[in-house]
């Protein structure tokens, strides 16, 4: 069995049956990290305690204890989630030395389910970006072609899994940051319904949009991780008390009676030919499994990116006010030239600590919230967001699932869009609506472009209806049966 290309499910079964030890599996991934991370830069910080965690799982297994559904499998955690005693940077200079005194609920639950934490993965600074190029710790590369971006902001998580440097990873998705890099790296990525997963201990970017979720090789693996991390958490009042189903055990590959909506605005002329062809193959697959397709219209789709960039920048300007260099994080060096006043103290610390994209968003958000502009921008964005939500709720009266591309084209070359923020923002056209509306979404591998770059298809379902994603996702996965591997795994 090839450890590096196996699913989380296969690995946890092998470890539970003692065909492999957690230590062996963890060492194998650590070897691949040593070999490829210098080139791909998927990780910012490695967890030096990973092997100890693996030994502890093996010891408990030897005693016949129940070690949980993710028994001994090494996973990677986006560096947006706090990990007790392990540096958490959000890929920002302002947090370069921050070691959290507690772990995020998601991390606690993963470890409780037996997973091994291999380390913290790279991202766009504070998860603001679509390429992982804005990281203060250097860019990450796409294991399918190292001249291309792995997507973002969870690009390090995607590169780690695609490159055989973790069996699965956790990402966060505020406007597409799980689904888009999953699409760019041929992985399954799930953004849960807003409120499914606790945000406690996750560095806040835009609190009304942020959700954490899995990035995996298979649909079943995503379901397994979701079962471990979802559910009410008293430490995050926005989490839902909705029961967490055993999704992985209920995957139904017959889609008879299922209606799949195809939103016509998502198939406009800007969609690339290879992407269109891949998405059409995935649509054929669900039809063959019994689903019926219907054309849907979501006319406010063109407003999703403008609303998103008002809401996320406004919330970010407020959330990021806490990085002032007083209690934690980076502080400018005032030993030679002391600050004249508090304003200068903040200016120098924040001016040094934040990168260009983060500053741009804080400025945009502060402007949109400022008196005189609030009604025209932030308030208006909230109103249109409500109308967008209504359009989705109406669409889900006609179908259980929506299918669309994840992006208009596959991964772009490193450097191609970084100096053009608008081009970068427009990358989010198909993904931001799910966050604004709060519905769950999944990216599933659907094929490759002529140049050999992965292409994903997006599935969207109504609030708390993730099972539809897992069902249709499994059908697409099984029917398309993609076997390609990136060269770093050959
Ligand atoms: N690309 C989007 C942005 O730049 C989404 C980021 C995210 O989901 N964290 O904001």
């Amino acid at each position: 069995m090839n450890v590096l290309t196996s699913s989380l499910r296969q690995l946890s079964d092998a470890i539970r049956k003692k065909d492999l030890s957690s230590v062996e599996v963890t060492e194998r991934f650590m070897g691949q990290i040593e070999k490829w991370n210098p080139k791909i830069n998927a990780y910012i910080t490695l967890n030096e305690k990973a092997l100890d965690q693996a030994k502890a799982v093996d010891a408990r297994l030897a005693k016949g204890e129940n070690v949980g559904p993710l028994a001994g499998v090494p996973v990677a955690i986006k560096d947006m989630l706090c990990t007790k005693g392990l540096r958490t940077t959000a890929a920002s200079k302002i947090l370069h030395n921050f070691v959290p005194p507690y772990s995020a609920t998601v991390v606690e639950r993963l470890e409780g389910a037996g997973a091994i934490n291999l380390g913290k993965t790279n991202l766009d600074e504070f998860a603001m970006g679509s390429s992982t190029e804005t990281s203060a710790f250097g860019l990450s590369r796409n294991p399918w072609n190292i001249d291309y971006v792995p997507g973002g902001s969870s690009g390090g998580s995607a590169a780690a899994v695609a490159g055989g440097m973790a069996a699965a990873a956790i990402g966060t998705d505020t406007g597409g940051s799980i689904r888009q890099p999953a699409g760019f790296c041929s992985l399954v990525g799930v953004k849960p319904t807003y409120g499914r997963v606790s945000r406690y201990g996750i560095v806040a970017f835009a609190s009304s949009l942020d959700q954490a979720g899995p990035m995996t090789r298979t649909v079943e693996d995503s379901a397994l991780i979701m079962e471990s991390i979802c559910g009410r958490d008293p430490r995050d009042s926005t989490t839902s008390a909705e029961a967490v189903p055993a999704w992985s055990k209920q995957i139904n590959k017959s889609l008879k009676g299922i209606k799949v909506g195809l939103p016509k605005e998502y198939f406009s002329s800007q969609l690339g030919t290879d992407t269109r062809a891949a998405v059409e193959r995935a649509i054929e697959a669900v039809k063959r499994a019994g689903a019926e397709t219907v054309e849907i219209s979501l006319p406010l789709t063109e407003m999703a990116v403008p609303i998103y960039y008002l809401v996320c920048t406004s919330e970010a300007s407020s959330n990021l006010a806490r990085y002032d260099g007083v209690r934690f994080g980076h502080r400018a060096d005032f030993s030679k030239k002391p600050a004249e006043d508090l304003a200068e103290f903040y200016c120098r610390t924040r001016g040094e600590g934040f990168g260009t994209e983060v500053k741009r968003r804080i400025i945009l958000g502060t402007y949109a919230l400022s008196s005189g502009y609030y009604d025209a921008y932030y308030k208006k964005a909230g109103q249109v967001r409500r109308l967008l939500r209504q359009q989705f709720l109406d669409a889900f009266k006609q179908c259980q699932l929506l299918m669309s591309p994840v992006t208009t084209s596959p991964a772009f070359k490193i450097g191609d869009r970084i100096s053009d923020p608008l081009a970068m923002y427009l990358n989010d056209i198909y993904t931001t609506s799910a966050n604004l509306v709060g519905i769950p979404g999944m990216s599933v591998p659907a094929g490759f472009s002529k140049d050999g770059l992965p292409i994903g298809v997006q599935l969207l379902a109504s609030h708390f209806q993730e099972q539809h994603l897992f069902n249709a996702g499994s059908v697409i996965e099984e029917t398309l049966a993609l076997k390609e591997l990136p060269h770093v795994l050959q």
Side-chain angles (χ1 to χ4, degrees):
M1 153 177 202
N2 184 347
V3 167
L4 303 185
T5 55
S6 296
S7 68
L8 181 154
R9 176 59 189 270
Q10 289 168 324
L11 292 172
S12 70
D13 283 352
I15 293 169
R16 211 171 296 114
K17 282 196 247 140
K18 304 205 183 72
D19 292 341
L20 282 169
S21 70
S22 175
V23 167
E24 279 171 313
V25 172
T26 305
E27 279 176 339
R28 193 73 188 83
F29 281 108
M30 285 166 61
Q32 179 79 350
I33 292 172
E34 206 174 305
K35 191 163 158 203
W36 282 104
N37 197 53
K39 186 95 218 163
I40 291 182
N41 199 31
Y43 287 90
I44 294 178
T45 309
L46 294 172
N47 180 16
E48 284 171 9
K49 301 206 177 96
L51 267 185
D52 292 339
Q53 286 183 349
K55 277 181 200 151
V57 168
D58 285 336
R60 288 178 55 198
L61 273 169
K63 281 194 250 159
E65 285 177 30
N66 176 9
V67 284
L70 309 180
V73 184
V75 301
I77 312 279
K78 185 178 186 179
D79 209 12
M80 268 303 249
L81 286 85
C82 285
T83 40
K84 187 176 176 177
L86 181 63
R87 182 169 77 137
T88 299
T89 69
S92 181
K93 187 178 169 190
I94 211 149
L95 284 175
H96 70 95
N97 56 4
F98 176 57
V99 179
Y102 65 98
S103 283
T105 299
V106 169
V107 172
E108 270 183 2
R109 290 189 179 176
L110 282 173
E111 291 178 352
I116 309 303
N117 171 8
L118 276 173
K120 309 297 294 290
T121 53
N122 202 10
L123 62 146
D124 284 292
E125 185 180 0
F126 282 102
M128 296 176 186
S130 308
S131 66
T132 316
E133 292 171 287
T134 72
S135 168
F137 295 83
L139 54 86
S140 295
R141 291 173 183 276
N142 190 323
W144 290 89
N145 184 332
I146 57 167
D147 295 330
Y148 286 75
V149 302
S153 63
S154 314
S157 290
V161 181
M165 292 182 270
I170 295 295
T172 63
D173 192 312
T174 303
S177 280
I178 289 176
R179 289 161 288 157
Q180 185 256 29
F184 280 9
C185 292
S186 203
L187 300 173
V188 177
V190 178
K191 182 206 88 76
T193 305
Y194 185 83
R196 271 280 189 211
V197 177
S198 170
R199 289 177 297 108
Y200 178 78
I202 300 180
V203 176
F205 163 13
S207 307
S208 77
L209 306 164
D210 297 342
Q211 277 290 288
M215 302 174 78
T216 59
R217 280 184 224 299
T218 67
V219 173
E220 186 191 28
D221 284 0
S222 272
L224 282 169
I225 291 187
M226 286 277 285
E227 288 162 21
S228 299
I229 64 174
C230 288
R232 172 102 185 105
D233 177 8
R235 295 176 297 185
D236 173 1
S237 62
T238 65
T239 51
S240 161
E242 193 84 17
V244 178
W247 290 297
S248 66
K249 295 196 185 68
Q250 294 169 18
I251 291 175
N252 179 357
K253 291 188 190 155
S254 163
L255 301 180
K256 281 207 186 68
I258 296 294
K259 286 221 172 90
V260 176
L262 306 175
K264 65 171 192 235
E265 292 78 6
Y266 286 56
F267 293 88
S268 67
S269 55
Q270 37 177 328
L271 187 59
T273 350
D274 291 353
T275 306
R276 186 183 295 272
V279 173
E280 276 166 5
R281 280 195 298 274
I283 294 172
E284 272 315 303
V286 298
K287 277 194 191 163
R288 248 181 286 151
E292 216 182 288
T293 54
V294 282
E295 193 185 89
I296 295 282
S297 179
L298 295 164
L300 279 173
T301 296
E302 59 171 357
M303 298 313 293
V305 167
I307 309 170
Y308 171 79
Y309 278 94
L310 283 168
V311 173
C312 85
T313 54
S314 300
E315 294 186 15
S317 85
S318 161
N319 272 328
L320 272 59
R322 73 192 72 179
Y323 305 106
D324 55 11
V326 175
R327 278 166 302 178
F328 62 94
H330 173 77
R331 179 184 296 179
D333 180 3
F334 294 102
S335 61
K336 291 194 193 73
K337 190 180 167 295
E340 300 272 334
D341 53 20
L342 196 57
E344 191 194 333
F345 177 89
Y346 290 155
C347 276
R348 270 170 63 193
T349 294
R350 286 166 66 86
E352 279 175 17
F354 291 131
T356 312
E357 181 59 26
V358 173
K359 284 180 190 159
R360 177 167 24 244
R361 296 204 189 192
I362 293 174
I363 292 168
L364 279 171
T366 308
Y367 183 79
L369 288 175
S370 60
S371 78
Y373 295 100
Y374 178 90
D375 283 354
Y377 295 115
Y378 184 71
K379 193 168 157 208
K380 183 63 88 190
Q383 290 164 335
V384 187
R385 180 179 184 181
R386 218 180 153 73
L387 295 175
L388 180 73
R389 181 184 160 90
Q390 197 52 51
Q391 287 192 349
F392 272 86
L393 295 182
D394 289 343
F396 285 120
K397 288 184 188 138
Q398 300 171 62
C399 58
Q400 290 84 17
L401 273 170
L402 293 172
M403 259 174 99
S404 81
V406 182
T407 47
T408 53
S409 51
F412 43 92
K413 266 210 167 114
I414 289 168
D416 260 10
R417 298 198 189 163
I418 192 68
S419 49
D420 183 353
L422 205 54
M424 195 69 98
Y425 295 174
L426 285 172
N427 199 267
D428 305 329
I429 176 125
Y430 302 140
T431 49
T432 46
S433 290
N435 305 75
L436 291 166
V437 174
I439 55 172
M442 175 189 272
S443 173
V444 191
F448 295 86
S449 68
K450 283 181 206 71
D451 309 330
L453 291 163
I455 297 172
V457 59
Q458 176 172 245
L459 302 170
L460 299 170
S462 191
H463 298 89
F464 298 104
Q465 300 304 309
E466 283 88 353
Q467 189 70 55
H468 287 306
L469 306 179
F470 294 122
N471 294 348
S474 299
V475 165
I476 296 168
E477 175 177 67
E478 194 174 283
T479 313
L480 301 181
L482 304 173
K483 294 275 182 297
E484 289 84 348
L485 287 174
H487 82 280
V488 305
L489 280 171
Q490 283 161 13

